[in-house]
C-alpha cells in the first residue's frame, strides 16, 4: 500500500448557511490523502498503473464549485465521487477548511475532516 497526498488545494467557493455566503463567496483549503497500491507503478513508471493526482485535483475543484450549505456535504460528495471514479482507492482522509469564517471571532479556519474506507 501507499499514500498520495494533495495538500493545500485552494479554491474560492460559495458554501455556507448564510445567504450572503452564496453571493460573496470565501476562500477554502482542501487537504486530501488517499491509500492505494503503489507497487506496480513503482516498477513500471507508468501513469496508467497509479492514481492520477491530476484527476484527484479535478474532482476536488469540480465538487467545490457546487454550492453546499455544510462543509460535511461537500466533503461527502468529494469522497463518494473519488470512490466511484477511481476503483484503486481504498481509503480517503479529506479535510475541507473555510478560511477566515464569518463566525464573529478571530478564527483562521474551520475544518471538517472525514475518513472513509471502500466497502
Amino acid at each position: 500500500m501507499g499514500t498520495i497526498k494533495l495538500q493545500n488545494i485552494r479554491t474560492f467557493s460559495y458554501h455556507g448557511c448564510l445567504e450572503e455566503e452564496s453571493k460573496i463567496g470565501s476562500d477554502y483549503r482542501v487537504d486530501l490523502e488517499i491509500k492505494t497500491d503503489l507497487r506496480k507503478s513503482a516498477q513500471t513508471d507508468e501513469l496508467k498503473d497509479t492514481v492520477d493526482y491530476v484527476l484527484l485535483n479535478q474532482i476536488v475543484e469540480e465538487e467545490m464549485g457546487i454550492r453546499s450549505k455544510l462543509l460535511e456535504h461537500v466533503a461527502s460528495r468529494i469522497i463518494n465521487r473519488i470512490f466511484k471514479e477511481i476503483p484503486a482507492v481504498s481509503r480517503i482522509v479529506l479535510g475541507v477548511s473555510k478560511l477566515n469564517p464569518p463566525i464573529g471571532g478571530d478564527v483562521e479556519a474551520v475544518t471538517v475532516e472525514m475518513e472513509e474506507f471502500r466497502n
Side-chain angles (χ1 to χ4, degrees):
M1 281 305 219
T3 303
I4 296 175
K5 296 180 183 181
L6 278 73
Q7 298 171 308
N8 199 23
I9 303 168
R10 294 175 298 280
T11 70
F12 189 85
S13 303
Y14 296 87
H15 307 301
C17 292
L18 302 175
E19 184 64 30
E20 304 85 59
E21 293 174 298
S22 70
K23 292 177 176 38
I24 62 172
S26 188
D27 291 311
Y28 291 81
R29 180 186 72 231
V30 178
D31 296 295
L32 173 63
E33 176 181 308
I34 63 114
K35 290 282 188 190
T36 190
D37 189 343
L38 298 176
R39 292 175 290 190
K40 185 173 182 181
S41 60
Q43 294 298 313
T44 67
D45 197 28
E46 294 293 335
L47 182 59
K48 67 178 178 57
D49 294 328
T50 191
V51 174
D52 186 353
Y53 51 79
V54 172
L55 177 57
L56 291 170
N57 186 65
Q58 177 184 336
I59 291 170
V60 168
E61 288 186 356
E62 288 175 0
E63 293 301 323
M64 288 297 289
I66 301 169
R67 176 168 159 64
S68 291
K69 289 186 264 183
L70 300 178
L71 297 180
E72 295 91 322
H73 188 258
V74 71
S76 178
R77 283 200 329 264
I78 292 168
I79 289 168
N80 290 336
R81 186 162 165 205
I82 290 170
F83 279 143
K84 180 180 177 186
E85 293 186 22
I86 310 172
V89 174
S90 61
R91 174 180 164 262
I92 300 171
V93 178
L94 178 74
V96 179
S97 302
K98 180 182 283 193
L99 307 179
N100 302 309
I103 60 174
D106 186 12
V107 177
E108 180 180 332
V110 172
T111 303
V112 168
E113 186 172 279
M114 297 174 75
E115 177 179 13
E116 296 290 340
F117 296 83
R118 182 175 295 280
N119 293 333

